[in-house]
PDB file of all heavy atoms in Angstrom:
ATOM      1  N   THR N   1      -6.149 -15.256   5.952  1.00  0.00           N
ATOM      2  CA  THR N   1      -5.257 -15.139   4.795  1.00  0.00           C
ATOM      3  C   THR N   1      -6.090 -14.917   3.532  1.00  0.00           C
ATOM      4  O   THR N   1      -7.123 -15.547   3.333  1.00  0.00           O
ATOM      5  CB  THR N   1      -4.405 -16.414   4.630  1.00  0.00           C
ATOM      6  OG1 THR N   1      -3.553 -16.548   5.774  1.00  0.00           O
ATOM      7  CG2 THR N   1      -3.547 -16.346   3.371  1.00  0.00           C
ATOM      8  N   MET N   2      -5.604 -14.018   2.683  1.00  0.00           N
ATOM      9  CA  MET N   2      -6.274 -13.714   1.412  1.00  0.00           C
ATOM     10  C   MET N   2      -5.338 -14.080   0.261  1.00  0.00           C
ATOM     11  O   MET N   2      -4.171 -13.686   0.252  1.00  0.00           O
ATOM     12  CB  MET N   2      -6.635 -12.238   1.334  1.00  0.00           C
ATOM     13  CG  MET N   2      -7.326 -11.838   0.047  1.00  0.00           C
ATOM     14  SD  MET N   2      -7.674 -10.056   0.026  1.00  0.00           S
ATOM     15  CE  MET N   2      -8.682  -9.930  -1.465  1.00  0.00           C
ATOM     16  N   ASN N   3      -5.849 -14.837  -0.701  1.00  0.00           N
ATOM     17  CA  ASN N   3      -5.081 -15.215  -1.886  1.00  0.00           C
ATOM     18  C   ASN N   3      -5.439 -14.321  -3.059  1.00  0.00           C
ATOM     19  O   ASN N   3      -6.616 -14.080  -3.325  1.00  0.00           O
ATOM     20  CB  ASN N   3      -5.338 -16.670  -2.246  1.00  0.00           C
ATOM     21  CG  ASN N   3      -4.878 -17.618  -1.160  1.00  0.00           C
ATOM     22  OD1 ASN N   3      -5.696 -18.186  -0.441  1.00  0.00           O
ATOM     23  ND2 ASN N   3      -3.580 -17.790  -0.998  1.00  0.00           N
ATOM     24  N   CYS N   4      -4.408 -13.876  -3.749  1.00  0.00           N
ATOM     25  CA  CYS N   4      -4.617 -12.907  -4.827  1.00  0.00           C
ATOM     26  C   CYS N   4      -3.512 -13.070  -5.864  1.00  0.00           C
ATOM     27  O   CYS N   4      -2.360 -13.308  -5.524  1.00  0.00           O
ATOM     28  CB  CYS N   4      -4.574 -11.501  -4.218  1.00  0.00           C
ATOM     29  SG  CYS N   4      -4.814 -10.159  -5.382  1.00  0.00           S
ATOM     30  N   PRO N   5      -3.832 -12.949  -7.155  1.00  0.00           N
ATOM     31  CA  PRO N   5      -2.768 -12.949  -8.175  1.00  0.00           C
ATOM     32  C   PRO N   5      -2.134 -11.567  -8.269  1.00  0.00           C
ATOM     33  O   PRO N   5      -2.736 -10.560  -7.877  1.00  0.00           O
ATOM     34  CB  PRO N   5      -3.525 -13.294  -9.456  1.00  0.00           C
ATOM     35  CG  PRO N   5      -4.889 -12.712  -9.232  1.00  0.00           C
ATOM     36  CD  PRO N   5      -5.176 -12.849  -7.763  1.00  0.00           C
ATOM     37  N   ASN N   6      -0.934 -11.508  -8.794  1.00  0.00           N
ATOM     38  CA  ASN N   6      -0.303 -10.198  -9.009  1.00  0.00           C
ATOM     39  C   ASN N   6       0.050  -9.970 -10.471  1.00  0.00           C
ATOM     40  O   ASN N   6       0.725  -8.996 -10.813  1.00  0.00           O
ATOM     41  CB  ASN N   6       0.937 -10.034  -8.133  1.00  0.00           C
ATOM     42  CG  ASN N   6       2.000 -11.094  -8.388  1.00  0.00           C
ATOM     43  OD1 ASN N   6       1.989 -11.775  -9.408  1.00  0.00           O
ATOM     44  ND2 ASN N   6       2.924 -11.252  -7.447  1.00  0.00           N
ATOM     45  N   ASP N   7      -0.443 -10.873 -11.360  1.00  0.00           N
ATOM     46  CA  ASP N   7      -0.127 -10.725 -12.781  1.00  0.00           C
ATOM     47  C   ASP N   7      -1.265 -11.223 -13.667  1.00  0.00           C
ATOM     48  O   ASP N   7      -1.035 -11.684 -14.777  1.00  0.00           O
ATOM     49  CB  ASP N   7       1.167 -11.465 -13.129  1.00  0.00           C
ATOM     50  CG  ASP N   7       1.129 -12.954 -12.780  1.00  0.00           C
ATOM     51  OD1 ASP N   7       0.093 -13.424 -12.257  1.00  0.00           O
ATOM     52  OD2 ASP N   7       2.131 -13.649 -13.028  1.00  0.00           O
ATOM     53  N   ARG N   8      -2.497 -11.133 -13.162  1.00  0.00           N
ATOM     54  CA  ARG N   8      -3.623 -11.630 -13.948  1.00  0.00           C
ATOM     55  C   ARG N   8      -4.616 -10.550 -14.319  1.00  0.00           C
ATOM     56  O   ARG N   8      -4.958 -10.368 -15.483  1.00  0.00           O
ATOM     57  CB  ARG N   8      -4.338 -12.774 -13.199  1.00  0.00           C
ATOM     58  CG  ARG N   8      -5.555 -13.315 -13.950  1.00  0.00           C
ATOM     59  CD  ARG N   8      -5.144 -13.826 -15.331  1.00  0.00           C
ATOM     60  NE  ARG N   8      -6.262 -13.987 -16.252  1.00  0.00           N
ATOM     61  CZ  ARG N   8      -6.630 -13.119 -17.176  1.00  0.00           C
ATOM     62  NH1 ARG N   8      -5.980 -11.962 -17.297  1.00  0.00           N
ATOM     63  NH2 ARG N   8      -7.627 -13.367 -18.001  1.00  0.00           N
ATOM     64  N   TYR N   9      -5.138  -9.813 -13.339  1.00  0.00           N
ATOM     65  CA  TYR N   9      -6.152  -8.795 -13.590  1.00  0.00           C
ATOM     66  C   TYR N   9      -5.533  -7.398 -13.476  1.00  0.00           C
ATOM     67  O   TYR N   9      -4.424  -7.237 -12.962  1.00  0.00           O
ATOM     68  CB  TYR N   9      -7.312  -8.951 -12.606  1.00  0.00           C
ATOM     69  CG  TYR N   9      -7.831 -10.364 -12.508  1.00  0.00           C
ATOM     70  CD1 TYR N   9      -7.718 -11.100 -11.326  1.00  0.00           C
ATOM     71  CD2 TYR N   9      -8.403 -10.992 -13.608  1.00  0.00           C
ATOM     72  CE1 TYR N   9      -8.173 -12.410 -11.244  1.00  0.00           C
ATOM     73  CE2 TYR N   9      -8.859 -12.300 -13.539  1.00  0.00           C
ATOM     74  CZ  TYR N   9      -8.742 -13.009 -12.353  1.00  0.00           C
ATOM     75  OH  TYR N   9      -9.186 -14.313 -12.280  1.00  0.00           O
ATOM     76  N   VAL N  10      -6.248  -6.401 -13.925  1.00  0.00           N
ATOM     77  CA  VAL N  10      -5.728  -5.036 -13.879  1.00  0.00           C
ATOM     78  C   VAL N  10      -5.556  -4.605 -12.418  1.00  0.00           C
ATOM     79  O   VAL N  10      -6.517  -4.591 -11.652  1.00  0.00           O
ATOM     80  CB  VAL N  10      -6.668  -4.061 -14.616  1.00  0.00           C
ATOM     81  CG1 VAL N  10      -6.145  -2.630 -14.484  1.00  0.00           C
ATOM     82  CG2 VAL N  10      -6.798  -4.451 -16.087  1.00  0.00           C
ATOM     83  N   ASN N  11      -4.314  -4.315 -12.053  1.00  0.00           N
ATOM     84  CA  ASN N  11      -3.980  -3.862 -10.695  1.00  0.00           C
ATOM     85  C   ASN N  11      -4.487  -4.818  -9.621  1.00  0.00           C
ATOM     86  O   ASN N  11      -4.928  -4.400  -8.548  1.00  0.00           O
ATOM     87  CB  ASN N  11      -4.531  -2.457 -10.446  1.00  0.00           C
ATOM     88  CG  ASN N  11      -3.761  -1.387 -11.209  1.00  0.00           C
ATOM     89  OD1 ASN N  11      -2.668  -1.639 -11.713  1.00  0.00           O
ATOM     90  ND2 ASN N  11      -4.322  -0.206 -11.308  1.00  0.00           N
ATOM     91  N   ASP N  12      -4.410  -6.118  -9.900  1.00  0.00           N
ATOM     92  CA  ASP N  12      -4.976  -7.102  -8.978  1.00  0.00           C
ATOM     93  C   ASP N  12      -4.376  -7.037  -7.576  1.00  0.00           C
ATOM     94  O   ASP N  12      -5.103  -6.977  -6.574  1.00  0.00           O
ATOM     95  CB  ASP N  12      -4.874  -8.518  -9.549  1.00  0.00           C
ATOM     96  CG  ASP N  12      -3.562  -8.815 -10.257  1.00  0.00           C
ATOM     97  OD1 ASP N  12      -2.586  -8.066 -10.043  1.00  0.00           O
ATOM     98  OD2 ASP N  12      -3.519  -9.800 -11.026  1.00  0.00           O
ATOM     99  N   ALA N  13      -3.042  -7.028  -7.478  1.00  0.00           N
ATOM    100  CA  ALA N  13      -2.412  -6.988  -6.158  1.00  0.00           C
ATOM    101  C   ALA N  13      -2.733  -5.688  -5.427  1.00  0.00           C
ATOM    102  O   ALA N  13      -2.953  -5.684  -4.203  1.00  0.00           O
ATOM    103  CB  ALA N  13      -0.905  -7.165  -6.292  1.00  0.00           C
ATOM    104  N   ALA N  14      -2.780  -4.583  -6.174  1.00  0.00           N
ATOM    105  CA  ALA N  14      -3.088  -3.293  -5.547  1.00  0.00           C
ATOM    106  C   ALA N  14      -4.527  -3.259  -5.025  1.00  0.00           C
ATOM    107  O   ALA N  14      -4.806  -2.671  -3.982  1.00  0.00           O
ATOM    108  CB  ALA N  14      -2.864  -2.152  -6.548  1.00  0.00           C
ATOM    109  N   ILE N  15      -5.436  -3.911  -5.752  1.00  0.00           N
ATOM    110  CA  ILE N  15      -6.820  -4.007  -5.276  1.00  0.00           C
ATOM    111  C   ILE N  15      -6.866  -4.782  -3.963  1.00  0.00           C
ATOM    112  O   ILE N  15      -7.517  -4.377  -2.992  1.00  0.00           O
ATOM    113  CB  ILE N  15      -7.713  -4.697  -6.331  1.00  0.00           C
ATOM    114  CG1 ILE N  15      -7.846  -3.831  -7.580  1.00  0.00           C
ATOM    115  CG2 ILE N  15      -9.103  -4.993  -5.750  1.00  0.00           C
ATOM    116  CD1 ILE N  15      -8.474  -4.564  -8.759  1.00  0.00           C
ATOM    117  N   CYS N  16      -6.158  -5.904  -3.917  1.00  0.00           N
ATOM    118  CA  CYS N  16      -6.151  -6.719  -2.707  1.00  0.00           C
ATOM    119  C   CYS N  16      -5.493  -5.986  -1.544  1.00  0.00           C
ATOM    120  O   CYS N  16      -5.909  -6.135  -0.384  1.00  0.00           O
ATOM    121  CB  CYS N  16      -5.445  -8.043  -2.977  1.00  0.00           C
ATOM    122  SG  CYS N  16      -6.387  -9.133  -4.075  1.00  0.00           S
ATOM    123  N   GLN N  17      -4.479  -5.182  -1.823  1.00  0.00           N
ATOM    124  CA  GLN N  17      -3.861  -4.376  -0.772  1.00  0.00           C
ATOM    125  C   GLN N  17      -4.853  -3.347  -0.226  1.00  0.00           C
ATOM    126  O   GLN N  17      -4.923  -3.115   0.990  1.00  0.00           O
ATOM    127  CB  GLN N  17      -2.621  -3.674  -1.322  1.00  0.00           C
ATOM    128  CG  GLN N  17      -1.455  -4.617  -1.591  1.00  0.00           C
ATOM    129  CD  GLN N  17      -0.366  -3.981  -2.428  1.00  0.00           C
ATOM    130  OE1 GLN N  17      -0.484  -2.826  -2.862  1.00  0.00           O
ATOM    131  NE2 GLN N  17       0.702  -4.731  -2.682  1.00  0.00           N
ATOM    132  N   ALA N  18      -5.650  -2.747  -1.123  1.00  0.00           N
ATOM    133  CA  ALA N  18      -6.654  -1.776  -0.680  1.00  0.00           C
ATOM    134  C   ALA N  18      -7.739  -2.455   0.148  1.00  0.00           C
ATOM    135  O   ALA N  18      -8.182  -1.913   1.175  1.00  0.00           O
ATOM    136  CB  ALA N  18      -7.273  -1.085  -1.895  1.00  0.00           C
ATOM    137  N   VAL N  19      -8.164  -3.648  -0.288  1.00  0.00           N
ATOM    138  CA  VAL N  19      -9.158  -4.411   0.480  1.00  0.00           C
ATOM    139  C   VAL N  19      -8.616  -4.741   1.864  1.00  0.00           C
ATOM    140  O   VAL N  19      -9.308  -4.610   2.877  1.00  0.00           O
ATOM    141  CB  VAL N  19      -9.555  -5.696  -0.278  1.00  0.00           C
ATOM    142  CG1 VAL N  19     -10.349  -6.633   0.626  1.00  0.00           C
ATOM    143  CG2 VAL N  19     -10.368  -5.356  -1.521  1.00  0.00           C
ATOM    144  N   SER N  20      -7.373  -5.154   1.919  1.00  0.00           N
ATOM    145  CA  SER N  20      -6.741  -5.488   3.193  1.00  0.00           C
ATOM    146  C   SER N  20      -6.710  -4.290   4.125  1.00  0.00           C
ATOM    147  O   SER N  20      -6.982  -4.413   5.334  1.00  0.00           O
ATOM    148  CB  SER N  20      -5.314  -6.011   2.959  1.00  0.00           C
ATOM    149  OG  SER N  20      -5.319  -7.159   2.153  1.00  0.00           O
ATOM    150  N   ALA N  21      -6.376  -3.125   3.570  1.00  0.00           N
ATOM    151  CA  ALA N  21      -6.337  -1.900   4.382  1.00  0.00           C
ATOM    152  C   ALA N  21      -7.728  -1.537   4.880  1.00  0.00           C
ATOM    153  O   ALA N  21      -7.896  -1.110   6.040  1.00  0.00           O
ATOM    154  CB  ALA N  21      -5.739  -0.760   3.562  1.00  0.00           C
ATOM    155  N   ASN N  22      -8.732  -1.677   4.022  1.00  0.00           N
ATOM    156  CA  ASN N  22     -10.120  -1.401   4.424  1.00  0.00           C
ATOM    157  C   ASN N  22     -10.540  -2.303   5.578  1.00  0.00           C
ATOM    158  O   ASN N  22     -11.141  -1.853   6.571  1.00  0.00           O
ATOM    159  CB  ASN N  22     -11.068  -1.615   3.261  1.00  0.00           C
ATOM    160  CG  ASN N  22     -10.997  -0.547   2.180  1.00  0.00           C
ATOM    161  OD1 ASN N  22     -11.445  -0.756   1.065  1.00  0.00           O
ATOM    162  ND2 ASN N  22     -10.419   0.606   2.497  1.00  0.00           N
ATOM    163  N   LEU N  23     -10.239  -3.579   5.467  1.00  0.00           N
ATOM    164  CA  LEU N  23     -10.644  -4.544   6.496  1.00  0.00           C
ATOM    165  C   LEU N  23      -9.891  -4.319   7.795  1.00  0.00           C
ATOM    166  O   LEU N  23     -10.427  -4.551   8.890  1.00  0.00           O
ATOM    167  CB  LEU N  23     -10.432  -5.966   5.986  1.00  0.00           C
ATOM    168  CG  LEU N  23     -11.396  -6.414   4.881  1.00  0.00           C
ATOM    169  CD1 LEU N  23     -10.965  -7.740   4.269  1.00  0.00           C
ATOM    170  CD2 LEU N  23     -12.825  -6.536   5.429  1.00  0.00           C
ATOM    171  N   ALA N  24      -8.648  -3.848   7.705  1.00  0.00           N
ATOM    172  CA  ALA N  24      -7.870  -3.564   8.920  1.00  0.00           C
ATOM    173  C   ALA N  24      -8.553  -2.499   9.765  1.00  0.00           C
ATOM    174  O   ALA N  24      -8.482  -2.532  11.005  1.00  0.00           O
ATOM    175  CB  ALA N  24      -6.459  -3.123   8.540  1.00  0.00           C
ATOM    176  N   ARG N  25      -9.243  -1.581   9.108  1.00  0.00           N
ATOM    177  CA  ARG N  25      -9.905  -0.491   9.833  1.00  0.00           C
ATOM    178  C   ARG N  25     -11.103  -0.964  10.654  1.00  0.00           C
ATOM    179  O   ARG N  25     -11.582  -0.249  11.525  1.00  0.00           O
ATOM    180  CB  ARG N  25     -10.340   0.601   8.853  1.00  0.00           C
ATOM    181  CG  ARG N  25      -9.167   1.297   8.168  1.00  0.00           C
ATOM    182  CD  ARG N  25      -9.607   2.532   7.393  1.00  0.00           C
ATOM    183  NE  ARG N  25      -8.484   3.141   6.710  1.00  0.00           N
ATOM    184  CZ  ARG N  25      -8.199   2.979   5.423  1.00  0.00           C
ATOM    185  NH1 ARG N  25      -8.981   2.203   4.677  1.00  0.00           N
ATOM    186  NH2 ARG N  25      -7.157   3.570   4.888  1.00  0.00           N
TER     187      ARG N  25
END
């Protein structure tokens, strides 16, 4: 499980989604 804010940093949730997709590969 990865914890991430969605209203703190610039595009924080989108960054975590990209990281998740990278790791899935």
Side-chain angles (χ1 to χ4, degrees):
T1 296
M2 180 182 188
N3 297 106
C4 180
N6 59 17
D7 57 0
R8 178 58 197 98
Y9 311 115
V10 177
N11 288 346
D12 41 17
I15 293 168
C16 290
Q17 289 166 358
V19 168
S20 300
N22 287 162
L23 290 170
R25 295 190 182 100

